Amino acid sequence: MTSPIYRGRFAPSPTGPLHFGSLVTALASYLEAHSRQGHWLVRIEDLDPLRESPEATDRILNSLQGHQLHPDGTVRYQSERLEVYRHHAERLVEQGRAYYCACSRKELAANNGRHPWHCRDGDKPPTGRPVAIRFALHAEEARWQDRILGEQHQQVRAELDDPVIIRKEGFVAYQLAVVVDDIDQGITEIVRGSDLLETTAQQRQICLALGGTPPQWAHIPVVLNEQGQKLSKQNHAPALDDEQPGRNLWRALGALGQQPEEDLAAAPPQRVLEWALEHWSMAGIPHQSTMDSATH
Ligand code: GLU
């Protein structure tokens, strides 16, 4: 029996242009997929029109292209698939794996910010109030093996609230769409930033409830700015300088614990990628967050 082909993906939410931290994630997922003769897909997770913009999407895609990170297949846009996610949410409700929740922010705050769960046992959607749909987690001590960080465990339900899968405003939530698409696109391994590590156990449960086979996970420690915060648009991470793609890739390899030769820093992106593919070792990725050397 042949093993299924490796399929990886890079799935940015277009809240801003590509910054150094997201390039590190894109590059790691690209190199792992290519070094295993697999496919590398790009999916734009544009579910929140209040925080995201088509301009950011264009800039991300142009930037990936400028860094010669070309996806194997057409780019998927989650904004074009809202009906599919809603359909899955309704099916989960019918199967008793998800439920309507009308809890207000105030009610959550009054319960130490945790979801009180009383709506979990109600069998009818509350009327007259906007409702969200939450996935009903089952209590378990989840254990899984992360390919970079090793053995992981999480007390599901003690540490987590039931995740919202359809928001009160009607928007589809990340927790549902990411799993629906990873199943639909046949993703076998997810390489992403360690800020998402704590979503893994719940996504595994959602995946199983949807009838999928959970992928493997590999979480890369996030890149920090000099204040020790994750590089992100919220923390004003600078956009990548697309005029220097080779240098950016060279720096990203450094953050991934690879040891590119000095003279590659001035090479065109294609050459840096060739070197990277030849020398790629996931074992070299540091387990601790690294500081972005360009920010200090
Ligand atoms: N769209 C998510 C983000 O940009 C990443 C999703 C994932 O890799 O699971 O943070």
Side-chain angles (χ1 to χ4, degrees), residues 16-89:
L18 211 62
H19 55 72
F20 183 63
S22 36
L23 179 70
V24 168
T25 305
L27 179 62
S29 58
Y30 172 94
L31 291 173
E32 186 60 13
H34 280 246
S35 67
R36 291 169 70 178
Q37 284 76 47
H39 291 156
W40 181 69
L41 306 177
V42 171
R43 183 169 77 223
I44 300 292
E45 301 205 321
D46 50 351
L47 292 171
D48 186 346
L50 304 178
R51 290 179 57 230
E52 300 157 349
S53 69
E55 294 74 42
T57 298
D58 290 346
R59 287 188 67 183
I60 291 172
L61 294 175
N62 283 335
S63 205
L64 288 174
Q65 196 170 27
H67 288 79
Q68 302 293 320
L69 297 171
H70 304 299
D72 302 306
T74 47
V75 173
R76 175 174 287 200
Y77 296 85
Q78 289 192 326
S79 57
E80 293 172 359
R81 292 173 43 78
L82 301 179
E83 286 319 307
V84 176
Y85 311 128
R86 291 203 177 103
H87 166 77
H88 282 288

Side-chain angles (χ1 to χ4, degrees), residues 159-217:
E159 294 173 29
L160 297 171
D161 280 336
D162 287 344
V164 170
I165 56 174
I166 302 287
R167 289 162 49 185
K168 271 191 195 161
E169 308 82 6
F171 295 145
V172 174
Y174 155 70
Q175 298 293 354
L176 175 68
V178 72
V179 180
V180 168
D181 279 340
D182 284 335
I183 297 173
D184 184 64
Q185 296 188 290
I187 300 301
T188 56
E189 184 167 313
I190 294 174
V191 178
R192 63 183 180 187
S194 61
D195 52 320
L196 293 167
L197 181 63
E198 63 180 33
T199 65
T200 306
Q202 53 190 297
Q203 289 175 4
R204 194 167 180 282
Q205 283 201 14
I206 296 174
C207 176
L208 290 169
L210 292 171
T213 306
Q216 282 205 298
W217 280 276

Side-chain angles (χ1 to χ4, degrees), residues 270-287:
Q270 200 52 50
R271 251 206 71 215
V272 185
L273 287 177
E274 277 161 22
W275 181 94
L277 262 178
E278 240 170 75
H279 295 84
W280 175 240
S281 156
M282 217 180 215
I285 298 178
H287 289 198

